[in-house]
Amino acid sequence: MSISDISTSIGNIHLSNPLILASGILDENGHTMKRILSEGAAAVVTKSIGMEERNGYKPPIVATDDPIFINAVGLPNPGINDVGEEIKIARESGKPIIGSIFGKDENEFIHLAVKMQEYGVSAVELNLSCPHVKGFGSEIGGDPTLVKKIVKGVKGSISIPAWAKLSPNVTNLLDIAIAASDSDALVLINTVRGMKIDIYSGRPVLSNKVGGLSGSSIKPVGIRCVYEVKSNLDIPVIGVGGIESALDAVEYIMAGATAVQIGTALWKYGRAVFSKVSMELVEFMSSEGYEKIEEFRGIALK
Ligand SMILES: Cc1cc2nc3c(=O)[nH]c(=O)nc-3n(C[C@H](O)[C@H](O)[C@H](O)COP(=O)(O)O)c2cc1C
């Protein structure tokens, strides 16, 4: 019996398996990223990096009540000038490092993308969508004109691929996806806006009040977004939202995703989630008689 091949490619970026570490989870430090890559992730996306250092919001920044996971960390990051060394360390793994960036307009995005390219990342991921930073991503991801400008500006300024990460918190996702379709891939989805109230104090739990819901409770939203975009556009899509097992990843792939990202599941399974999901994927494929991922990619769209 032949062994299932779980490798995949997004444009010219080859991945030994379809699993990428999502932005914002254990991906600010070069050694940690390197460790996650050595333990089974095929690539990592860095924490979203902006023009300057940000401390993020005051605690509480997460509200959890399994399977509900809501965060409002406020994009804490070291700023673009201090992230080069971490990327250099992560690159020693030999695997693709994707530089996530956020800015307030196309000029900031262009500056950050050029810097990321200088640091040697394999692609940049444009975080157009962070739903809980006032004055930043929340407006950008919902404005098709600005999204188009940013993607076009970045694409014209770098020679590496640019992926656009979109938010599910918009009225018409397809309009935004079309506006971002000059990018090399779309990443779907960022967190879903949510809230938790402490019923004993009668107050919102998070210091920012509103946060982003992630983890298994958003998987059906992510699947719907990937399916909706892939039904209408011919562009590679990377699925993210609530993936904890290979069966979750297979759902995204059947909706048309080329690869997937995993974030919140690291809280539950630790770094071992990547080797766990890879092993389960090989098991699923051999039991279903699939030799390659392409054999079931997008089958739900037909
Ligand atoms: C604590 C936390 C921080 C995050 N920070 C970022 C970020 O900096 N940039 C970004 O694009 N997405 C960020 N995200 C969103 C994730 O990358 C991902 O899109 C989302 O959590 C859904 O995937 P998951 O259910 O596997 O976590 C963050 C998510 C969490 C839970």
Side-chain angles (χ1 to χ4, degrees):
M1 200 184 81
S2 59
I3 295 180
S4 305
D5 173 8
I6 60 170
S7 67
T8 187
S9 294
I10 306 156
N12 62 3
I13 299 176
H14 183 71
L15 303 175
S16 52
N17 66 59
L19 314 176
I20 304 172
L21 176 69
S23 180
I25 296 95
L26 297 180
D27 45 12
E28 219 183 287
N29 175 290
H31 292 288
T32 318
M33 288 191 267
K34 213 167 128 183
R35 189 137 182 209
I36 286 172
L37 289 163
S38 75
E39 291 180 14
V44 299
V45 184
T46 68
K47 174 74 192 164
S48 290
I49 305 295
M51 299 290 282
E52 275 139 30
E53 184 181 7
R54 274 176 66 94
N55 292 324
Y57 299 141
K58 290 200 193 85
I61 52 172
V62 283
T64 58
D65 190 3
D66 193 37
I68 290 168
F69 190 100
I70 310 177
N71 87 87
V73 290
L75 287 174
N77 79 96
I80 192 70
N81 292 332
D82 284 331
V83 81
E85 193 53 34
E86 304 305 327
I87 290 172
K88 192 170 153 203
I89 295 166
R91 284 182 62 215
E92 288 165 7
S93 65
K95 292 187 175 178
I97 311 300
I98 315 301
S100 172
I101 53 175
F102 72 96
K104 69 174 183 327
D105 55 30
E106 72 265 35
N107 293 331
E108 285 196 3
F109 271 97
I110 291 169
H111 176 83
L112 295 163
V114 169
K115 276 281 198 188
M116 280 290 187
Q117 175 168 276
E118 279 169 28
Y119 294 151
V121 299
S122 300
V124 289
E125 184 176 282
L126 314 177
N127 177 4
L128 298 167
S129 50
C130 196
H132 50 68
V133 176
K134 293 174 192 118
F136 283 89
S138 49
E139 289 114 39
I140 286 173
D143 176 348
T145 312
L146 193 48
V147 166
K148 199 169 175 57
K149 252 193 198 167
I150 291 168
V151 171
K152 207 167 168 231
V154 168
K155 281 293 296 167
S157 310
I158 55 172
S159 53
I160 53 172
W163 301 350
K165 183 170 180 184
L166 305 187
S167 167
N169 307 309
V170 293
T171 315
N172 192 339
L173 176 68
L174 200 53
D175 282 351
I176 307 292
I178 291 168
S181 61
D182 284 340
S183 59
D184 299 276
L186 299 179
V187 182
L188 299 165
I189 55 175
N190 212 312
T191 52
V192 177
R193 274 167 79 80
M195 262 189 100
K196 183 168 173 60
I197 310 277
D198 176 346
I199 56 166
Y200 298 102
S201 67
R203 302 289 310 145
V205 172
L206 296 167
S207 73
N208 189 55
K209 299 186 178 75
V210 173
L213 182 64
S214 63
S216 58
S217 44
I218 68 166
K219 191 185 74 176
V221 181
I223 299 286
R224 185 269 298 170
C225 291
V226 172
Y227 187 88
E228 195 177 320
V229 168
K230 285 300 291 185
S231 304
N232 291 282
L233 292 180
D234 185 19
I235 182 169
V237 165
I238 298 153
V240 50
I243 296 168
E244 294 189 344
S245 71
L247 306 187
D248 300 326
V250 167
E251 257 193 81
Y252 273 98
I253 295 167
M254 288 186 171
T258 300
V260 295
Q261 297 180 356
I262 299 179
T264 302
L266 272 94
W267 262 272
K268 209 160 168 180
Y269 298 101
R271 296 185 306 265
V273 70
F274 291 100
S275 50
K276 173 188 106 71
V277 176
S278 279
M279 255 157 27
E280 291 168 353
L281 185 57
V282 172
E283 274 167 29
F284 169 82
M285 286 171 64
S286 17
S287 78
E288 292 300 303
Y290 293 122
E291 285 180 10
K292 286 177 177 299
I293 285 180
E294 290 78 59
E295 292 166 24
F296 59 96
R297 175 174 302 130
I299 57 169
L301 297 161
K302 293 176 187 131

